[in-house]
């Protein structure tokens, strides 16, 4: 069985769901089911950022500037996963220098295997842009904006011509 359970994930009847294609296999979907309230509680319990805005800015900064995409895999686990380990355990490419994302349900599957190098660079630029927008807004003298206003500011509409790649 290629599936491994990460012991640190909280388990409850609300988060354990049947796998859609494998009989007698249960998937822990704790991160999906808790919503923002669960995320806020998780951060408070783990001495993390106190607001969703800080958490969002931290996310964009980390994945734009800090995360080592050449060595590691994006994973919802509690520790960094090295690409070499994924290559040994699950047959992932060690030589892929771009984005690699471990499926949270099927840990052997790289959901980013279809992302080409130029699209990966575009994603990193968008993370950096989103972080800079949040940081600029935080340092402005304007009133604090709502979460929806923040998301609207980050997610500018793309014209029909820009959206074609």
């Amino acid at each position: 069985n290629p599936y491994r359970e990460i012991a640190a994930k909280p388990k409850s009847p609300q988060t354990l769901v049947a796998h859609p294609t494998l009989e007698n296999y249960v998937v822990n979907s704790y991160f999906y089911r808790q919503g923002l309230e669960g995320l806020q509680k998780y951060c408070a319990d783990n001495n993390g950022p106190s607001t969703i805005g800080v958490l969002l800015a931290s996310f964009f900064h980390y994945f734009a500037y800090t995360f080592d995409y050449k060595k590691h895999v994006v994973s919802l686990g509690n520790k960094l996963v090295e690409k070499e380990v994924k290559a040994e355990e699950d047959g992932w490419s060690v030589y892929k220098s771009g984005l690699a994302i471990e499926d949270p349900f099927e840990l052997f599957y790289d959901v980013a295997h279809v992302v080409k190098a130029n699209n990966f660079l575009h994603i990193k630029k968008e993370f950096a842009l989103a972080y800079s927008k949040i940081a600029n807004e935080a340092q402005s003298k304007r009133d604090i904006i709502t979460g929806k206003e923040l998301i609207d500011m980050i997610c500018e509409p793309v014209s029909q011509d820009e959206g074609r790649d």
Side-chain angles (χ1 to χ4, degrees):
N1 191 352
Y3 300 99
R4 296 180 308 278
E5 187 68 30
I6 299 171
K9 291 192 283 187
K11 295 179 183 176
S12 72
Q14 293 79 29
T15 63
L16 298 175
V17 295
H19 190 279
T21 59
L22 293 177
E23 277 188 50
N24 302 321
Y25 186 76
V26 177
V27 175
N28 191 343
S29 63
Y30 76 100
F31 59 89
Y32 178 72
R33 304 250 173 179
Q34 290 181 344
L36 291 180
E37 297 81 19
L39 186 57
Q40 288 171 323
K41 181 180 179 333
Y42 176 82
C43 290
D45 290 348
N46 291 291
N47 298 321
S50 57
T51 68
I52 295 296
V54 171
L55 183 66
L56 185 60
S58 299
F59 170 87
F60 287 128
H61 183 274
Y62 180 72
F63 286 106
Y65 302 109
T66 307
F67 188 79
D68 186 351
Y69 291 94
K70 290 180 183 176
K71 282 182 66 175
H72 297 107
V73 171
V74 176
S75 171
L76 292 179
N78 292 336
K79 62 181 181 171
L80 285 175
V81 177
E82 292 190 17
K83 282 189 177 180
E84 286 186 8
V85 172
K86 293 305 286 182
E88 286 179 25
E89 293 179 355
D90 299 320
W92 289 24
S93 172
V94 177
Y95 305 106
K96 182 181 173 192
S97 62
L99 184 60
I101 303 173
E102 180 181 67
D103 186 302
F105 300 112
E106 299 176 337
L107 302 179
F108 63 89
Y109 186 67
D110 176 7
V111 297
H113 73 277
V114 296
V115 177
K116 293 182 173 68
N118 61 337
N119 290 336
F120 166 63
L121 293 175
H122 183 77
I123 290 167
K124 279 186 70 174
K125 286 179 185 176
E126 289 297 322
F127 284 164
L129 180 62
Y131 170 73
S132 65
K133 286 181 177 183
I134 295 171
N136 289 340
E137 184 62 35
Q139 293 179 2
S140 75
K141 304 237 187 264
R142 295 185 291 255
D143 291 337
I144 296 173
I145 62 175
T146 67
K148 181 178 179 343
E149 291 169 331
L150 181 64
I151 296 297
D152 288 344
M153 178 186 66
I154 293 169
C155 301
E156 297 175 6
V158 176
S159 71
Q160 288 289 341
D161 294 332
E162 283 182 275
R164 295 187 182 137
D165 275 334

